[in-house]
Amino acid sequence: FFWPPLSRIVEVFGETWLTGRLTDDVLPSLARLLAGYLAALVLGVAMGVAIGSYRVLRAVIEPVLEFFRAIPPPVLVPILMLFAGIGNEMKVLVIISGCLWPVLLNTVEGVRGLDEMLRDTARCYRLGSRARLWHLILRGASPQIAAGARQALSVAIILMVISELFATTNGLGFVIVQFQRSFQIPQMWSGIILLGLIGVALSMIFRFFESRALSWYTGMRHSERGE
């Protein structure tokens, strides 16, 4: 009963998700995931560039970052509910609270790892602060930033589901738990498969944009290997 055949799961997949639940549950979940992920990406890169660029700021704020990084994001859900309520804001904040750290920490390491010769060259050519940020810091740290963004994407999917388990009436996480509680086991498994398909689709989209944005880096690595 709890392990229905795949044929039964596929049979109920269309009628379960490709009707009203597509607009009532799937799309709202994806919208919250996208909002939280993009916000975490912007905040993580902005904070990471600042912390990685200034040694004094990094020394002051690093212990605080390590403290908050050690707190599991699901534990923050009750606290966020107190301040943000039980609406979409709370769910987006839960996603941000977990996705921020991979992006932030990888950005800090990417900025810290920039070649000092490149920094000296930028100073010799008297590049302005905006040009230095765009052409030197962000471009030089972009491989590390992309690695953090890739990690954050998988975290965002997990937290999207977790945030929908508390005081909500729609979303993929909410519907899957409702199927489990009402013993609609094939429908529950179809929701889990849908989550996997969403993860694969988002990963493919991310790799597409990553390959375009980091084409210079890939070409440089290939030239170093003599390929």
Side-chain angles (χ1 to χ4, degrees), residues 19 50 68 108 112 123 135 137 144:
T19 54
F68 282 105
V108 170
R112 289 180 61 185
R123 282 193 289 268
H135 295 289
I137 297 176
Q144 287 286 96

Side-chain angles (χ1 to χ4, degrees), residues 1-17 176 179-180 182-194:
F1 178 78
F2 293 105
W3 301 92
L6 182 60
S7 58
R8 174 60 180 157
I9 299 174
V10 173
E11 180 183 343
V12 303
F13 187 93
E15 63 186 42
T16 302
W17 298 107
I176 291 173
F179 284 149
Q180 181 264 333
S182 59
F183 293 97
Q184 295 177 276
I185 305 302
Q187 288 80 359
M188 179 195 75
W189 282 108
S190 71
I192 295 173
I193 291 176
L194 178 60

